[in-house]
Amino acid sequence: MQAPSSEDLGPMPSRHPSNRLVHTPSPIQSHRQSFTESLRGHPPSPRSARQPSLSQAQLHELLNNPPTAGSADPRFSGRHWQTIGVGELCDLADLRFVEIDTGIEEATNVLITSGAHVLLVRHRQDERAAHATYDYRDLTQYLLFATGQLQPDEEHFPIFTNLAKKAQAGHPIPLRDAKSLGNKEPFMTLPSTANLTHAIEVFGGGVHRIVIVEEGTDNVVGILSQLRLVKFLWENGRNFPIIDRLYSQTIKDLGIGSQHTISINGDKPLKEALKLMNNEGLTSLAVVDNQLNVVGNISNVDVKLLTKSSSAPLLDNTCIHFISVILSTRGMNDGKDSFPVFHINPYSTLAHTVAKLVATKAHR
């Protein structure tokens, strides 16, 4: 189901003093079911086929009043945010390593079972230096090559031919070979003493995460992602007045947000969505109906549902069907329904927007 808008849920309840979470209702009308949705029977849309596990009041609270930032970390009190080192935001406990000769199936199992968003790839088990990463984007690309949805260019064709022979012979495909195919996100590192300004500059180039290394060595001490940085600035905004002042302004007034969005129709095959995500370098993709209403979202993480041979038919099925599979799987694993779409409008405050990103761990 799609999360209802603030207009659907009525007036917001009053909150105790924090002007950081001011949210102005949108003049945008609520979603109208399209003709295509009315006729589709398996199901019209995931949002109309599932019963919400939250009450109206609970939905109201989540959507219109995301969690507040809470208490700021006293370690950063009185400091300018630009002087904070990236290493101060990292945690060694987040690191998961695999060796470069690990088979891609084994590495994928580690990625899924560990709950990590990325694995660090090293040459030997006794070293702390990483030379590459393996994540769900790499898995997506590998599956597209393995199922013939992507073809290698002339430079990579010999590598692809060698991998095909290994697969036919039943030999495991090591990460060393799988990482040689297709386009890869740059492997970016920063020393732990680099400040947050440097990290923002790197993220501004389209990089999703940065590997943080010990000063003067290649030893990894953490991973900084875009979401972790956003969460840090949200939770500690009160320590940084220049940032805290921005939170009460609306998205429209700040002039942020993309006017150009990439989406796919829900009736298109799933393989087309995965190819589009791979070619455009996206971590998630909006799924729309014929009226361009957003009915769901497919992310790279959802590709883990395609790792079994029995899941191969899903590639030729529709995107809307795959969203139903995603929601059903989350329901079984989490014991509750989840919402494929969380949205804001141009009149939402930056505080409301960031709080919702942090609370839902959404990419967009």
Side-chain angles (χ1 to χ4, degrees):
M1 62 175 283
Q2 181 179 4
S5 65
S6 56
E7 294 83 4
D8 298 324
L9 298 174
M12 290 171 36
S14 59
R15 288 177 62 84
H16 292 296
S18 171
N19 59 4
R20 300 185 66 193
L21 284 176
V22 178
H23 176 65
T24 307
S26 167
I28 301 173
Q29 296 297 317
S30 60
H31 169 77
R32 299 188 304 274
Q33 188 178 49
S34 69
F35 179 71
T36 302
E37 288 180 321
S38 300
L39 294 180
R40 188 183 292 122
H42 299 288
S45 165
R47 64 186 168 204
S48 61
R50 298 178 65 83
Q51 296 299 318
S53 57
L54 299 178
S55 68
Q56 189 85 344
Q58 288 172 319
L59 279 174
H60 193 295
E61 179 66 17
L62 173 64
L63 298 176
N64 293 318
N65 298 298
T68 59
S71 301
D73 191 328
R75 291 183 301 156
F76 305 108
S77 179
R79 298 174 59 184
H80 194 286
W81 69 272
Q82 291 178 308
T83 66
I84 294 171
V86 292
E88 299 180 69
L89 277 62
C90 297
D91 188 346
L92 281 170
D94 296 335
L95 304 183
R96 299 290 185 275
F97 284 92
V98 289
E99 285 65 60
I100 197 166
D101 290 317
T102 302
I104 194 166
E105 289 189 10
E106 181 183 345
T108 299
N109 287 334
V110 174
L111 185 65
I112 294 173
T113 57
S114 68
H117 290 289
V118 61
L119 302 180
L120 296 167
V121 182
R122 59 189 177 186
H123 287 300
R124 302 187 315 274
Q125 192 171 7
D126 61 349
E127 68 175 350
R128 287 175 52 202
H131 307 280
T133 57
Y134 178 69
D135 59 14
Y136 287 105
R137 183 180 176 187
D138 295 309
L139 176 59
T140 300
Q141 191 171 82
Y142 175 76
L143 289 176
L144 289 172
F145 276 115
T147 56
Q149 305 304 318
L150 284 182
Q151 296 298 323
D153 55 27
E154 185 176 348
E155 177 186 354
H156 295 96
F157 190 79
I159 299 174
F160 180 78
T161 303
N162 183 48
L163 290 182
K165 290 180 180 178
K166 285 185 177 181
Q168 290 171 358
H171 299 312
I173 307 298
L175 287 176
R176 182 193 302 273
D177 295 339
K179 290 286 292 183
S180 300
L181 291 173
N183 300 319
K184 297 174 287 294
E185 180 172 313
F187 180 73
M188 302 298 297
T189 64
L190 280 177
S192 58
T193 54
N195 59 45
L196 295 186
T197 302
H198 291 152
I200 290 176
E201 290 173 353
V202 174
F203 287 142
V207 173
H208 295 99
R209 66 177 66 89
I210 304 170
V211 175
I212 310 302
V213 298
E214 188 178 14
E215 180 75 24
T217 75
D218 293 327
N219 294 334
V220 180
V221 296
I223 298 175
L224 181 64
S225 66
Q226 290 180 346
L227 182 58
R228 172 163 288 190
L229 177 57
V230 169
K231 182 179 180 182
F232 170 79
L233 293 176
W234 167 244
E235 293 178 340
N236 294 279
R238 291 182 178 84
N239 283 330
F240 317 125
I242 192 171
I243 292 178
D244 197 47
R245 285 194 293 269
L246 298 175
Y247 282 124
S248 61
Q249 299 185 48
T250 67
I251 297 300
K252 181 179 180 179
D253 291 340
L254 291 171
I256 59 177
S258 174
Q259 297 295 319
H260 173 67
T261 58
I262 300 176
S263 62
I264 191 168
N265 189 283
D267 291 325
K268 294 287 186 180
L270 174 61
K271 59 187 178 184
E272 296 298 327
L274 298 184
K275 285 192 288 186
L276 182 59
M277 290 169 62
N278 179 75
N279 294 339
E280 297 292 338
L282 302 174
T283 56
S284 62
L285 180 66
V287 179
V288 300
D289 63 13
N290 289 340
Q291 309 304 317
L292 299 183
N293 298 303
V294 179
V295 297
N297 181 74
I298 296 173
S299 77
N300 276 329
V301 177
D302 299 322
V303 176
K304 64 185 177 184
L305 301 177
L306 303 173
T307 55
K308 296 181 180 178
S309 58
S310 59
S311 302
L314 288 173
L315 288 171
D316 292 311
N317 214 319
T318 64
C319 292
I320 202 77
H321 174 73
F322 187 55
I323 290 175
S324 295
V325 173
I326 294 170
L327 296 181
S328 296
T329 303
R330 289 178 185 170
M332 288 186 292
N333 293 341
D334 301 336
K336 61 182 180 181
D337 293 333
S338 62
F339 303 103
V341 179
F342 289 92
H343 64 274
I344 60 167
N345 61 70
Y347 301 95
S348 300
T349 62
L350 181 61
H352 179 89
T353 304
V354 174
K356 188 173 288 188
L357 281 171
V358 171
T360 63
K361 298 181 180 180
H363 294 185
R364 292 172 177 81

